[in-house]
Amino acid sequence: MRVAIAGGTGLVGRAVADEAVTRGHETVVLARSRGIELTTGTGLDHALRGCTAVIDVTNVATMKAGASTRFFEDVTRTLLTAERRAGVERHVALSIVGVDRAPFDYYAGKRAQELAVEAGPVPWTVLRATQFHEFAEQIHATAKAGPLHLAPKMRTQPIAVREVASRLVDLAEASAVGGYVELAGPEEESLVDMVRRWARATGRRGWIPAVALPGGLGRAQRDGTLLPGAGAEIGVETFTAWLERTTGRRSSGRREPQGT
Ligand SMILES: NC(=O)c1ccc[n+]([C@@H]2O[C@H](COP(=O)([O-])OP(=O)(O)OC[C@H]3O[C@@H](n4cnc5c(N)ncnc54)[C@H](OP(=O)(O)O)[C@@H]3O)[C@@H](O)[C@H]2O)c1
């Protein structure tokens, strides 16, 4: 089938495109760098011609609720309107476990995306995944105070991006569920531990203090709100195995002491 990947140049999008091509599908990537602006729809009608399914893995770099909500609502509505015109049979969107429970400004946009998908004119499935193993690197790059890298105290059950990508392609191949599928990795981890182990495995030096974020978001990070529910599908690759595969270094699997 011909499948469009909105955000197909990003971290998840590249893995989705690879997986879809491996399975013999024809892919079309929707991204600004491919001449398609999804907040306005420029270039979209032509790109969607002949597509059976759309997988939406777009993203916006913001921590503000307004900007996140605007982006995900605009992109979703633009996509769904164009999909209906093009006769696309199903829309698969990637969301995050806990977006309906944790008071995080970015999550407000993800929840708005889910609601726009639910209300839209195209049969749909939403895959809610937990944090990716790659989240350790993203936190190391962005959670900084001066020269210090900080690691938020958070319970998470991270999943490999390639397993998320594979499940997204499965869902695009099948009939729309009209509901939510949850996917998590095989083991609960502490984000502090993940960030420190990633830093050690990649030769980053320096002390990485653990921080407890204040307010409702910090509470949600620490109390397990972002962990998968009982009915979640569970992936295969652990954080330890992912770290070894992607850094080429054997990991002791040693956990860092917490709260330091
Ligand atoms: N990080 C996690 O642990 C986690 C966990 C679960 C779910 N998710 C979800 O996974 C999704 C994908 O994340 P990611 O890290 O793969 O994102 P990413 O690497 O930042 O990629 C974002 C993609 O969106 C495209 N894009 C952005 N704005 C666009 C616009 N206006 N028009 C067209 N294309 C646009 C980008 O291409 P151009 O720049 O070329 O436009 C790029 O292909 C997100 O929705 C996120 O919420 C993340």
Side-chain angles (χ1 to χ4, degrees), residues 2-66:
R2 181 170 155 92
V3 55
I5 303 155
T9 59
L11 174 67
V12 183
R14 290 191 303 273
V16 170
D18 287 350
E19 179 68 21
V21 167
T22 301
R23 294 192 198 184
H25 298 305
E26 183 190 346
T27 58
V28 53
V29 168
L30 315 175
R32 290 166 301 183
S33 48
R34 302 295 173 90
I36 294 160
E37 169 52 73
L38 288 172
T39 56
T40 60
T42 303
L44 192 52
D45 282 339
H46 179 73
L48 287 185
R49 230 172 267 165
C51 286
T52 303
V54 170
I55 300 174
D56 181 8
V57 287
T58 53
N59 202 9
V60 61
T62 183
M63 291 296 143
K64 295 208 162 73

Side-chain angles (χ1 to χ4, degrees), residues 165-186:
S166 173
R167 200 65 190 97
L168 285 165
V169 177
D170 293 342
L171 294 171
E173 289 171 341
S175 300
V177 168
Y180 295 84
V181 175
E182 266 194 19
L183 178 64

Side-chain angles (χ1 to χ4, degrees), residues 5-213:
I5 303 155
T9 59
L11 174 67
V12 183
R14 290 191 303 273
V16 170
D18 287 350
E19 179 68 21
V21 167
T22 301
R23 294 192 198 184
H25 298 305
E26 183 190 346
T27 58
V28 53
V29 168
L30 315 175
R32 290 166 301 183
S33 48
R34 302 295 173 90
I36 294 160
E37 169 52 73
L38 288 172
T39 56
T40 60
T42 303
L44 192 52
D45 282 339
H46 179 73
L48 287 185
R49 230 172 267 165
C51 286
T52 303
V54 170
I55 300 174
D56 181 8
V57 287
T58 53
N59 202 9
V60 61
T62 183
M63 291 296 143
K64 295 208 162 73
S68 178
T69 301
R70 233 177 353 264
F71 174 83
F72 285 112
E73 281 186 346
D74 286 353
V75 166
T76 302
R77 288 183 187 143
T78 305
L79 270 173
L80 292 174
T81 305
E83 286 171 31
R84 190 176 55 173
R85 273 198 301 271
V88 169
E89 292 173 23
R90 46 200 176 261
H91 179 95
V92 178
L94 178 60
S95 190
I96 307 174
V97 168
V99 291
D100 52 339
R101 301 189 296 265
F104 179 24
D105 285 349
Y106 170 78
Y107 283 4
K110 294 299 294 179
R111 183 62 186 143
Q113 175 186 19
E114 292 181 346
L115 294 174
V117 169
E118 279 191 34
V122 178
W124 59 280
T125 306
V126 170
L127 179 67
R128 282 183 177 158
T130 50
Q131 287 66 45
F132 307 143
H133 294 323
E134 285 80 354
F135 197 48
E137 176 177 0
Q138 292 170 347
I139 290 294
H140 188 270
T142 56
K144 293 201 289 190
L148 280 183
H149 294 269
L150 309 175
K153 291 184 180 180
M154 173 172 162
R155 295 176 65 190
T156 177
Q157 197 164 317
I159 176 91
V161 160
R162 66 181 185 183
E163 291 185 45
V164 174
S166 173
R167 200 65 190 97
L168 285 165
V169 177
D170 293 342
L171 294 171
E173 289 171 341
S175 300
V177 168
Y180 295 84
V181 175
E182 266 194 19
L183 178 64
E187 289 179 355
E188 182 179 337
E189 297 280 351
S190 125
L191 182 60
V192 172
D193 186 66
M194 288 168 62
V195 174
R196 289 176 178 167
R197 288 171 64 199
W198 177 84
R200 198 167 57 226
T202 57
R204 266 71 170 179
R205 291 173 184 283
W207 177 51
I208 300 175
V211 292
L213 292 188

